[in-house]
């Protein structure tokens, strides 16, 4: 089975609530010696989920975000990705100084102060 | 033999009785006859034995002299020709030597000129290269200084912002970012 078909099948099963697919998928990966492709496979599954209206997004900020901001971020991602459901995973990175970095399977938005400073430095 | 001829002649003359006329004229007829005969005999002998050899010797000598003269003439002519040829060759060699000297001078002049041009070109190239290198070094130093300055400014800004960006400011920044990407 190709990686694409595998990720499509896993995405469908996850959306149907079949969480056992994770265990089955792990067994399949070990059985077929696909351990080195596991990151790509996870990325493919996230992409397939996003294509089906379920976006898994990672948000990184310098400080912890309030629930209000998390909701606003989810709303923004849902509007931009035309997604029905958005799942956020938050990360804290003080090196960003301020702002946020949003990563989804299909795009990456970097509005951090650190990146702006770096761009400014490059332009100068 | 000649004495016998004189006796015979004297006998003959007395017999014919003509001695008185020749004697009156003071001419010894017998003697004349004997002399004529002697002359003829001598002439015949000379003609027979001496003249041919003499004439041959003279002819040979004449031919030898003529041959020598001709040879001398030829030698003179050859000498003149050789001298003329020598003069001609000398003039030709002189002209060729002059041409060679002129060509050598021309080539030497061309070589000198070429060497001067090359030296001048090389000097220009070295000067241009040095100037370019200097300019490059200056530009590199300038860029390096600029990068260091920008780095310092960025670092200073980063430090200042780290202190200045509080939760409120950060929230405002995030909201603004969300509005931009929506």
């Amino acid at each position: 089975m190709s990686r694409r078909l595998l990720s499509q099948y896993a995405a469908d099963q996850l959306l149907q609530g079949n969480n056992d697919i994770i265990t089955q998928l792990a067994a399949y990966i070990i059985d077929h010696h696909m351990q080195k492709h596991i990151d790509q496979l996870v990325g493919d599954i996230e992409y397939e989920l996003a294509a089906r209206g379920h976006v898994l997004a990672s948000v990184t900020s310098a400080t912890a975000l309030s629930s209000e901001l998390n909701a606003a971020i989810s709303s923004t991602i849902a509007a931009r990705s035309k997604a029905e459901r958005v799942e956020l995973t938050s990360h804290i990175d003080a090196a960003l100084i301020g702002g946020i970095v949003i990563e989804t399977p299909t795009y990456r938005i970097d509005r951090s102060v650190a990146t702006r400073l770096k761009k400014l430095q490059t332009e100068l | 033999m000649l004495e016998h001829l004189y006796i015979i002649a004297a006998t003959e003359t007395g017999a014919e009785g003509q001695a008185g006329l020749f004697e009156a004229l003071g001419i010894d007829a017998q003697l004349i006859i004997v002399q004529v005969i002697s002359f003829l005999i001598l002439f015949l002998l000379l003609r027979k034995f001496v003249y041919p050899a003499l004439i041959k010797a003279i002819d040979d000598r004449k031919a030898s002299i003529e041959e020598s003269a001709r040879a001398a003439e030829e030698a003179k002519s050859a000498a003149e020709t050789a001298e003329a040829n020598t003069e001609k060759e000398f003039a030709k060699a002189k002209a060729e030597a002059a041409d060679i000297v002129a060509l050598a001078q021309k080539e030497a002049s061309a070589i000198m000129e070429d060497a001067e041009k090359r030296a001048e070109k090389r000097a220009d190239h070295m000067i241009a290269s040095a100037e370019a290198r200097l300019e490059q070094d200056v530009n590199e130093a300038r860029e390096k200084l600029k990068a260091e300055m920008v780095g310092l400014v960025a670092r200073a800004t980063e430090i200042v912002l780290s202190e200045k960006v509080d939760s409120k400011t950060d929230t405002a920044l995030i909201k603004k970012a969300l509005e931009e990407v929506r």
Side-chain angles (χ1 to χ4, degrees):
Chain A
M1 186 182 287
S2 70
R3 207 178 71 208
R4 187 163 176 267
L5 286 175
L6 200 62
S7 59
Q8 285 176 350
Y9 177 75
D12 288 338
Q13 290 299 312
L14 284 171
L15 288 176
Q16 286 171 15
N18 181 14
N19 290 330
D20 292 339
I21 189 67
I22 302 296
T23 310
Q24 293 168 7
L25 200 59
Y28 183 87
I29 287 168
I30 292 167
D31 189 45
H32 287 80
H33 306 290
M34 292 173 65
Q35 288 90 333
K36 63 181 178 181
H37 299 298
I38 196 162
D39 288 339
Q40 292 165 322
L41 185 61
V42 169
D44 288 348
I45 292 169
E46 287 179 352
Y47 181 82
E48 292 297 335
L49 284 171
R52 287 160 176 75
H54 190 115
V55 175
L56 299 176
S58 166
V59 178
T60 308
S61 58
T63 56
L65 300 176
S66 64
S67 57
E68 182 195 356
L69 273 179
N70 275 330
I73 291 167
S74 293
S75 172
T76 302
I77 293 171
R80 188 182 172 96
S81 306
K82 295 183 175 67
E84 295 171 0
R85 188 178 167 193
V86 176
E87 279 187 39
L88 291 182
T89 307
S90 297
H91 303 280
I92 306 294
D93 184 0
L96 294 184
I97 301 171
I100 51 168
V101 177
I102 300 171
E103 290 174 290
T104 72
T106 51
Y107 57 86
R108 183 176 190 274
I109 297 169
D110 189 343
R111 289 292 189 276
S112 67
V113 174
T115 301
R116 288 184 180 183
L117 278 174
K118 206 169 285 179
K119 279 183 183 174
L120 184 66
Q121 189 175 350
T122 307
E123 285 171 6
L124 285 174
Chain B
M1 195 171 108
L2 291 174
E3 289 173 352
H4 289 299
L5 282 174
Y6 286 132
I7 296 166
I8 293 166
T11 308
E12 289 294 320
T13 303
E16 292 179 4
Q18 296 176 348
L21 179 61
F22 288 109
E23 285 175 359
L25 292 172
I27 298 171
D28 188 352
Q30 289 180 343
L31 183 60
I32 289 173
I33 289 167
V34 169
Q35 286 180 340
V36 167
I37 290 168
S38 298
F39 178 75
L40 287 174
I41 290 167
L42 182 62
F43 177 75
L44 289 173
L45 287 173
L46 288 172
R47 185 180 178 188
K48 179 69 176 176
F49 299 106
V50 177
Y51 286 170
L54 191 61
I55 288 169
K56 186 176 181 301
I58 290 169
D59 287 344
D60 289 345
R61 180 65 179 160
K62 183 182 176 185
S64 175
I65 289 167
E66 286 177 354
E67 183 67 25
S68 297
R70 192 168 63 251
E73 194 66 32
E74 285 177 357
K76 186 181 175 185
S77 175
E80 286 175 355
T81 304
E83 189 178 353
N85 286 336
T86 303
E87 287 291 333
K88 194 175 172 183
E89 290 296 325
F90 181 71
K92 188 179 172 185
K94 198 174 175 182
E96 285 179 357
D99 288 345
I100 289 167
V101 169
L103 185 63
Q105 285 176 343
K106 192 177 176 183
E107 285 181 355
S109 177
I111 288 168
M112 289 281 288
E113 194 174 343
D114 185 50
E116 282 178 7
K117 280 182 182 174
R118 280 196 294 177
E120 192 176 349
K121 193 176 175 184
R122 186 168 173 77
D124 289 345
H125 178 70
M126 285 174 72
I127 290 167
S129 180
E131 286 176 350
R133 178 70 185 169
L134 184 64
E135 191 177 345
Q136 187 182 351
D137 288 347
V138 168
N139 285 336
E140 282 178 1
R142 195 175 289 159
E143 289 297 322
K144 194 176 175 184
L145 184 63
K146 188 179 172 183
E148 284 178 2
M149 280 184 66
V150 168
L152 286 172
V153 169
R155 181 64 187 149
T157 308
E158 194 176 317
I159 291 167
V160 170
L161 283 176
S162 297
E163 292 173 354
K164 293 286 181 185
V165 175
D166 54 9
S167 180
K168 191 178 174 185
T169 311
D170 195 20
T171 302
L173 280 172
I174 292 169
K175 282 183 178 176
K176 189 181 174 189
L178 290 174
E179 285 173 7
E180 285 173 1
V181 300
R182 188 180 285 271

